[in-house]
Amino acid sequence: VQLQASGGGLVQAGGSLKLSCAASLRTFRSYGMGWFRQALGKEREFVAAISRSGGGTVYADSVKGRFTISRDNAKNMVYLQMNSLKPEDTAVYYCARDRRQTATPDSSKTGTYDLWGQGTQVTVSS
């Protein structure tokens, strides 16, 4: 498995969760990374992206100010800290590798990504 997401679970509205994505990739630090989510019956949607260095980030408007994406290139890890969770954040969350190095508005497009991990379920109860 090249990308392994974990950290999902059940949390009450207003709570927090931190998702992790472990990458078994020798070239991990050469690429940007992103998080997407897919709610039941809905299309996969962009959540956040980070550049290869971690210096650039992009967020969906729906999570801006509540979620923080980060990475640790020494550990081949990407994280998504989720605070002030809402029931509408309920979804399966996926990490993915960007074909590029940067985090730009194009990071919101699924076609920008060439490698996807399995998802981790996040459920927010009201």
Side-chain angles (χ1 to χ4, degrees), residues 49-64:
I50 189 166
S51 65
R52 71 167 185 167
S53 68
T57 56
V58 177
Y59 295 92
D61 288 344
S62 59
V63 307
K64 203 172 293 182

Side-chain angles (χ1 to χ4, degrees), residues 10 70 82:
L10 174 63
S70 61
M82 306 185 295

